[in-house]
Amino acid sequence: QVQLVESGGGSVESGGSLRLSCLASGYTYSQYCRGWFRQPPGKEREGVAALDADGSTSYADSVKGRFTISRDRVKNTLYLDMTSLKPEDTGMYYCATSFKYCSESWSQESEYNNWGQGTQVTVSS
């Protein structure tokens, strides 16, 4: 079992920055692909970024160049650094992990077997 707890969400103005954290506990050594998802109000959850065990990263086109996914292995924490935030970045952000390596399907929810409860990000114009 792996437990994931997100933090760092909040309300910012357009153009601002936030750092989301996802603290993992439990059998984290069995997890390989780690990702961030978000669910905008009234919309489906979508993949934002993923980090594979070898350090390779993937990003949704909408966040490329603005968001950075990273991990601190010692702290067992996954991060999402978000800059140049836009109102359309508003949503509940979730971290997720998978016992599989990341693939071209990294942005699909079905690829992940562990999920956090989410942290809210609100960007005002």
Side-chain angles (χ1 to χ4, degrees):
Q1 287 282 357
V2 176
Q3 294 77 44
L4 303 173
V5 179
E6 302 95 335
S7 62
S11 297
V12 296
E13 293 186 349
S14 182
S17 300
L18 280 175
R19 168 176 257 202
L20 304 184
S21 300
C22 173
L23 176 63
S25 60
Y27 291 104
T28 59
Y29 63 87
S30 65
Q31 304 298 295
Y32 296 100
C33 188
R34 292 168 169 80
W36 285 97
F37 284 72
R38 67 185 179 191
Q39 187 166 19
K43 297 184 179 180
E44 294 184 352
R45 193 151 55 181
E46 60 185 15
V48 175
L51 174 67
D52 210 348
D54 65 357
S56 59
T57 57
S58 301
Y59 295 95
D61 288 342
S62 59
V63 306
K64 279 181 181 177
R66 299 189 299 122
F67 290 12
T68 303
I69 187 171
S70 63
R71 178 188 173 204
D72 186 322
R73 293 176 181 268
V74 174
K75 296 182 178 179
N76 266 339
T77 301
L78 183 71
Y79 300 103
L80 185 67
D81 288 293
M82 307 185 294
T83 64
S84 302
L85 283 163
K86 306 174 181 180
E88 51 263 45
D89 294 318
T90 293
M92 185 70 79
Y93 281 70
Y94 302 88
C95 65
T97 64
S98 172
F99 58 81
K100 299 183 292 184
Y101 290 101
C102 294
S103 70
E104 58 186 19
S105 302
W106 67 267
S107 61
Q108 296 182 15
E109 295 183 57
S110 59
E111 291 292 297
Y112 301 84
N113 53 290
N114 292 293
W115 292 85
Q117 294 301 306
T119 185
Q120 178 67 37
V121 172
T122 303
V123 184
S124 58
S125 58

